[in-house]
């Protein structure tokens, strides 16, 4: 009895991958098929002048259901490589754009 190990098996398909990287940004393009372009703005302090500087970077994200539109604020998570440029996928639409399309 003492030598028997108690196995606490995880449910099927559940693996400990660790936390995935998440970013929040604005959709700048949704013209491609199942792909959106998300601009993520970061604010950093300039090392010499100590001013707050905004810098942005664009990420290509996979949008399977094509639910994101231009101007929406979205949350994207890192994933395996899906194409030459896509390494992110859409997790949720945080806020809808009020612009009329």
């Amino acid at each position: 009895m003492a030598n028997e190990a108690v196995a606490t098996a995880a449910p099927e398909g559940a693996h400990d991958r660790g936390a995935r990287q998440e970013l929040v940004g604005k959709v700048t393009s949704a013209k491609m098929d199942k792909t959106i372009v998300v601009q993520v703005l970061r604010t950093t302090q300039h090392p010499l002048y100590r001013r707050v500087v905004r810098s942005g970077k664009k990420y290509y994200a996979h949008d399977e259901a094509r639910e994101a539109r231009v101007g929406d604020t979205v949350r994207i998570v890192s994933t395996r490589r899906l194409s030459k440029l896509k390494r992110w996928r859409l997790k949720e639409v945080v806020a809808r754009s009020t612009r009329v399309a």
Side-chain angles (χ1 to χ4, degrees):
M1 291 255 183
N3 292 339
E4 290 182 23
V6 178
T8 56
E12 284 296 316
H15 299 286
D16 290 337
R17 292 187 210 162
R20 290 183 179 253
Q21 189 176 1
E22 289 189 0
L23 298 173
V24 176
K26 216 173 251 295
V27 177
T28 58
S29 173
K31 293 181 179 180
M32 292 173 274
D33 187 32
K34 297 183 181 179
T35 302
I36 57 174
V37 181
V38 180
Q39 171 116 30
V40 177
L41 291 176
R42 286 189 164 86
T43 56
T44 57
Q45 192 178 45
H46 192 280
L48 178 62
Y49 301 116
R50 304 294 184 217
R51 287 282 281 197
V52 174
V53 180
R54 277 191 310 208
S55 61
K57 187 173 178 183
K58 290 182 181 177
Y59 295 94
Y60 284 71
H62 185 68
D63 183 10
E64 183 70 34
R66 299 184 59 116
E67 57 184 297
R69 294 184 298 237
V70 176
D72 290 351
T73 303
V74 295
R75 178 170 285 119
I76 57 176
V77 293
S78 62
T79 185
R80 65 184 176 85
R81 183 181 178 134
L82 297 171
S83 69
K84 181 181 176 183
L85 296 173
K86 282 200 292 189
R87 281 118 176 106
W88 299 85
R89 67 179 160 79
L90 178 69
K91 184 175 183 182
E92 65 174 326
V93 177
V94 178
R96 284 279 179 201
S97 170
T98 56
R99 98 177 218 179
V100 178

